[in-house]
Amino acid sequence: MHGLIFTTWEKYLGERFGGGLLSAYRDTIGEPPSATPLVSRFYDDGVLLEGVAAASRLSGLSPEQLLREYGRYFILNSLTGHLCKYILSGVSSAYDLLLTMRDVHSRLRKTAAGLTPPLFNYEFAPHERSVVLIYDSPRQLCPVLLGAIEGAAERYGEEVVVYEQSCMKRGDPVCRIEATFARGTRSAEQLSEQERANAFEQQAHQNAMRELGQRILTILPTEQAQALTLREVRQTLVQHYRLSPAYQRPAVLLQALRHLQFAGYVAATSGELDDNLTTRRYWRVSTYWER
């Protein structure tokens, strides 16, 4: 599993139950303070499953409730919002986000050996803005998906009705979850002048960062042997495009590359021996139509 899952899981526990339970949780699973999860690493599935069982014992809540709450938290928390900005800024509704998530997970499986984010299929339901998600995984973490659906609706100011047609935890071969979305009650006209100004400014920045990401994708090679360092990415971009100086800064380019990594478009040599921000190399993950 991706390190973002483990990092936000502990973040959820700390915010939901306080530092005391989080410390007890870390003691229970044998996690020293120096070994807290990192978003740049990958972890074994069993670590999370053991952690959920430990958190359930400490909190008194069922694993299913914890996982559902966590699924909602994962979509809404600020760390996910920051690292997954390229994904979230490219969709405008919870419905679209769910349809996008499957493609993101499929790409992420190509960015690192052994990384297996959950895949799910979907069918379009007869109702408008309704979709049936089909989840089939030996992890049986369907409560996370249920919570993520609810979190997606809240993120985009929508309402959702969720109906579990079948569930692996009840002995069914797959989980079939129907989600029907409706627009929220607060329209853009109801925003204050300051809120509209802030939203416009934020959207303008997101659009600029998204355009920067798209330009980075055009100059990255698809072979690891030809991968570029951060300095080479900057040099190649400047050669091909007229970039504002603000978007040539290494920190901004690094942020854009990181967003592309979490969207599954870019892979990197992070985690290798002698890896650092200077030597790390990046390449584009080829999509199915490029094979």
Side-chain angles (χ1 to χ4, degrees):
M1 281 189 183
H2 204 292
L4 180 59
I5 299 294
F6 290 85
T7 304
T8 52
W9 165 250
E10 292 202 0
K11 197 169 181 287
Y12 155 71
L13 291 178
E15 293 184 15
R16 172 70 165 84
F17 301 104
L21 184 138
L22 181 58
S23 295
Y25 166 82
R26 287 174 172 166
D27 289 341
T28 300
I29 65 173
E31 179 187 288
S34 60
T36 53
L38 302 173
V39 296
S40 59
R41 287 189 56 192
F42 306 117
Y43 297 86
D44 184 82
D45 293 0
V47 176
L48 179 64
L49 298 178
E50 292 173 7
V52 172
S56 177
R57 292 193 298 271
L58 291 169
S59 67
L61 301 181
S62 69
E64 288 74 19
Q65 181 175 345
L66 289 171
L67 288 171
R68 187 160 184 165
E69 286 187 10
Y70 166 69
R72 175 182 172 277
Y73 177 87
F74 177 80
I75 297 295
L76 293 172
N77 82 92
S78 59
L79 181 60
T80 299
H82 172 65
L83 294 177
C84 299
K85 181 74 72 177
Y86 191 87
I87 304 166
L88 296 171
S89 64
V91 297
S92 57
S93 70
Y95 178 86
D96 291 338
L97 179 59
L98 290 184
L99 300 187
T100 300
M101 281 173 58
R102 185 189 186 283
D103 294 336
V104 173
H105 288 176
S106 180
R107 290 193 301 269
L108 284 171
R109 286 175 171 246
K110 304 174 189 175
T111 61
L115 182 62
T116 56
L119 285 181
F120 55 86
N121 293 313
Y122 55 80
E123 297 174 353
F124 294 107
H127 314 292
E128 185 179 1
R129 294 179 54 76
S130 183
V131 64
V132 177
L133 304 180
I134 305 168
Y135 172 84
D136 177 11
S137 170
R139 296 169 176 158
Q140 295 192 13
L141 295 178
C142 46
V144 176
L145 182 55
L146 291 168
I149 293 170
E150 295 165 344
E154 185 171 345
R155 170 172 280 278
Y156 291 97
E158 300 177 356
E159 298 175 354
V160 63
V161 175
V162 179
Y163 171 63
E164 294 182 80
Q165 298 177 351
S166 64
C167 181
M168 297 174 70
K169 291 181 177 294
R170 299 197 296 262
D172 296 310
V174 297
C175 298
R176 293 178 59 88
I177 303 168
E178 182 176 351
T180 302
F181 297 95
R183 297 292 184 186
T185 57
R186 194 181 189 204
S187 65
E189 290 74 17
Q190 293 174 295
L191 297 176
S192 69
E193 183 176 345
Q194 184 61 50
E195 286 176 321
R196 285 197 296 272
N198 291 342
F200 179 82
E201 182 178 346
Q202 183 181 34
Q203 188 62 53
H205 175 67
Q206 289 179 359
N207 291 344
M209 287 298 293
R210 188 167 183 83
E211 182 178 358
L212 177 61
Q214 291 167 346
R215 289 178 171 179
I216 289 174
L217 288 176
T218 67
I219 60 96
L220 285 180
T222 56
E223 300 294 333
Q224 183 174 355
Q226 301 170 353
L228 304 180
T229 63
L230 179 61
R231 181 179 180 182
E232 291 168 335
V233 168
R234 182 182 182 278
Q235 290 174 338
T236 308
L237 279 173
V238 172
Q239 289 172 4
H240 287 76
Y241 298 103
R242 296 181 61 184
L243 291 181
S244 163
Y247 291 96
Q248 296 180 30
R249 293 167 48 204
V252 176
L253 293 175
L254 185 62
Q255 183 183 80
L257 283 164
R258 206 175 193 194
H259 290 170
L260 291 170
Q261 283 182 264
F262 279 91
Y265 286 111
V266 168
T269 55
S270 53
E272 295 185 2
L273 291 175
D274 302 323
D275 169 72
N276 57 54
L277 294 180
T278 302
T279 61
R280 186 172 300 163
R281 292 174 290 113
Y282 303 89
W283 68 99
R284 180 162 50 93
V285 176
S286 59
T287 51
Y288 67 89
W289 57 81
E290 295 175 312
R291 297 178 191 167

